[in-house]
Amino acid sequence: MSRIFFHSLISNSLNPNHLSQTHAQIIINGLQNDLIIATKLTQKLSDFGLIHQARLLVPTISQPDIFLYNVLIRGLSHNKSPSSALSLYTHLRLNTNLKPDNFTYAFVISSVSSLNIDKPGKILHAHSIIDGFGSDMFVGSTLIDFYLKFSHIWIAHKVFDQILNPDTVSWNTIISGLVKNCCFDESIRVFEEMGMSGNRFDSSTLAAILPAVAELQDLNTGKKIQCMVIKRGFHYHGFVLTGLVSLYSKCRDVSTARLLFEQIGRPDLISWNAMISGYSSNGETECAVELFRNLVATGARVTSSTIVGLIPVFSPFGNLHLSHSIHGLSIKCGICSNTSVSTALTTVYSRLNEIESARRLFDESPKKSLESWNAMISGYVQNGLTEVAISLFQQMQLSEVRPSPVTITSILSACAQLGALTLGKWVHELIVRENFQSNIYVSTALIDMYAKCGSIKEAQQLFDTMMEKNVVSWNAMISGYGLHGLGREALRVYDEMLQKGFSPSAVTFLSVLYACSHSGLVSEGERVFQSMEHHGVKPAPEHFACMVDLLGRAGKLEQALQFINEMPVDPGPAEWGSLLGACMIHKNTNLAQVASDNLFRLDADNVGYHVLLSNIYTADQNYPAAAVVRQAVRKKKLAKTPGCTLIELGETLHTFTSGDRSHPQSAAIYAKLEKLTAKMREAGFRAGTEMALHDVEEEEKEQMVNVHSEKLAIAFGLINSEPGTEIRIIKNLRVCLDCHNATKFISKITERVIVVRDANRFHHFKDGVCSCGDYW
């Protein structure tokens, strides 16, 4: 029997048993050393998953060639044996006279990309350069895919630039890899470069880029791509149409998405899933459920992706019962343990504030994927449980699960909320180690973290070094300056943003108006507000409230009232609340009564407004009126948010409340505070007791304000830090006048810089002066 006969027999083997019989006949006929037959047999064994037998076969060949080794390395890769593939490559280099070719490197690099470490791949990259394949298109494409799997975006770009004539596959690889790394803007830029280079894109290119456009909700770009789809004749490719369905769904045009879905001749399950998810993500849960029923009626077997699309993650409120029903269905179908299903359910429960149910699902998940960790960490951050989020992130690190840019942005948000600068800096170091610096979302989250932790200079330095910026990046920097009362700088960045051609969003305007409000820039704020509609942004209630705050803080109370009365929409609690706050600053009881009457009509159970009005009366020495307000609070059983202050020492956060004596260093803190108070009095400080209860002695009033939480935190910081070092604290409420004045004196006496973040903004105290200029 000839070689051709056995070659054909191997190719047509239908199962491992047929292949074993053929192998036996090959040995009987003395062709076991025939290189071509051995290579084909190795390939077929690999295809049947019999990789162990394939490995045993190759060493029996007396004179193997590089092609045989390549077939086995590729087989090991496809059979998820990366360590064995790497071992075989090492054997090839050290124990044979054969030289690896471009296919060898492509197959072995592809294999090691599934390992948890990137070192082997980097060594193989170096070997490929030494062997002359540094600009090889086939090796280059595999290296790009490898580096992007490890989120080494910058290196992937460098590899791509080294390919002399990248083909469509190379372009597709870098585009799809960038999309998987959430580098959506960058992927579109590369797609545009591909078009300008003259390379013809195929349907895979379009399927790769459409998710990026969808995530950015850039319908204009999406329509341009759709035109390309039609021109190139790809409009009836099912997976391209499915990509367009997702695009229009994410751009809130569900009707067009449905029309496109109906154009798919025979929609596969992926297409059904895309349309179900499209309805669900746009809050059309009834349509999603109806389409799901239609799918089931076709007899199709639903998958985990179907269930994930049905879960109302994007419109959770009011859908707790539906979420429970889907949870029950997923248990019946035996797919609840699927990581994508459990992750989606964890997310929806977190958004419904069912955080215990979310954690139970997370704990019960047998295999916790990166997405599972991200969902649970993000859920804690969204629910304000930042310390728990950080603790879970540390557990994730111990579990040796590599974080992704999504993980990093969530944990940076937690650091920003807590003001945990030390932890934030550690995360920054982790970002550098993981090479995430080029990720625009990570860089933006870093800017936000540094700004909210009081390090505005570091935020600015990061912003200046960003290679690519989007609107969110500009907003983070503008908002950061606003938090620190640096209105002029915020306006400068805003003007620069416009000059660079970026379109401001509603958040941009809110950030600019906030910055103007906290810097007394009334005319500038009015100019920005009036320009909103010119930029296609309709003012929302928060913008109106910011304008009231801007006018009110500047003492233009009558103008603020006029602005409210002339609003094109009915004023709500935000606008009247801003006016009441301004009345507190400028001690205007008449307008305070007007504002509070409207507030109590709109939001009668908001204790903050009652406390603010009571304080206004107290400051005006109208104690009977203040007592009436307090009595109303007691009758309604409303609870005032207790003031508390955080200070970070090392990586530990210490919390203080007013009059707190629970801290282990309590005795030393109060002793320090007593010494400070004595020195402050000598320097001319007098306690601000206007807001203290009127029916107690003056000395007792002083004692009440002397033990406010921020003073205790500052005293603790002075005890536990080196002389001359900066002290940073965070207050959950607006800092009171007495504590503000006291902190100015403390900064001068101790020669310390003290940074305070209260509910409104940052205060930088130095040499007895505050950066806010007493304007907060």
Side-chain angles (χ1 to χ4, degrees), residues 55 75 96 104-105 150 235 318 326 332 357 360 401 403 413 441 448 454 488 490 570 582 593-594 601 609 764:
R55 283 207 72 186
T96 75
T104 315
Y105 282 113
F150 284 93
H235 197 251
I326 296 169
K332 285 182 182 177
S357 298
R360 198 177 305 116
V401 177
S413 176
Y441 299 98
D448 184 63
R488 295 284 178 195
D570 290 335
Q593 189 62 59
V594 173
R601 176 175 54 82
Y609 301 140
H764 295 256

Side-chain angles (χ1 to χ4, degrees), residues 709-770:
S709 61
E710 44 265 71
K711 290 177 184 172
L712 297 174
I714 291 170
F716 171 78
L718 290 168
I719 293 167
N720 292 283
S721 60
E722 294 294 323
T725 56
E726 190 174 271
I727 292 173
R728 295 165 181 260
I729 64 171
I730 297 175
K731 177 76 184 287
N732 67 326
L733 305 175
R734 180 181 183 271
V735 64
C736 75
L737 180 63
D738 177 71
C739 286
H740 192 270
N741 288 335
T743 308
K744 286 196 289 186
F745 274 89
I746 294 170
S747 72
K748 188 172 182 64
I749 291 166
T750 62
E751 298 181 345
R752 297 282 196 110
V753 173
I754 302 172
V755 180
V756 179
R757 185 180 108 187
D758 72 1
N760 290 339
R761 57 169 294 162
F762 274 94
H763 303 260
H764 295 256
F765 297 90
K766 184 180 180 181
D767 297 329
V769 178
C770 180

Side-chain angles (χ1 to χ4, degrees), residues 612-747:
L612 197 52
L613 182 62
S614 171
N615 288 344
I616 291 169
Y617 283 135
T618 301
D620 196 42
Q621 297 186 350
N622 188 347
Y623 300 122
V628 169
V629 176
R630 287 193 173 106
Q631 183 64 31
V633 169
R634 281 193 289 271
K635 270 188 181 179
K636 292 183 177 182
K637 296 181 180 178
L638 303 177
K640 175 181 178 287
T641 303
C644 69
T645 303
L646 292 174
I647 182 169
E648 188 182 20
L649 186 67
E651 293 183 10
T652 306
L653 292 167
H654 298 260
T655 308
F656 294 90
T657 55
S658 185
D660 191 355
R661 291 185 179 272
S662 62
H663 196 277
Q665 290 182 257
S666 186
I669 290 167
Y670 277 85
K672 182 70 173 178
L673 197 54
E674 196 172 326
K675 287 180 184 177
L676 280 173
T677 304
K679 287 183 180 179
M680 285 157 58
R681 284 190 187 126
E682 289 174 12
F685 171 74
R686 292 292 176 269
T689 59
E690 295 89 348
M691 299 305 167
L693 297 173
H694 73 279
D695 54 353
V696 297
E697 296 296 327
E698 191 66 26
E699 187 178 337
E700 193 175 342
K701 287 183 182 180
E702 280 198 33
Q703 188 56 36
M704 288 167 67
V705 295
N706 279 347
V707 293
H708 278 185
S709 61
E710 44 265 71
K711 290 177 184 172
L712 297 174
I714 291 170
F716 171 78
L718 290 168
I719 293 167
N720 292 283
S721 60
E722 294 294 323
T725 56
E726 190 174 271
I727 292 173
R728 295 165 181 260
I729 64 171
I730 297 175
K731 177 76 184 287
N732 67 326
L733 305 175
R734 180 181 183 271
V735 64
C736 75
L737 180 63
D738 177 71
C739 286
H740 192 270
N741 288 335
T743 308
K744 286 196 289 186
F745 274 89
I746 294 170
S747 72

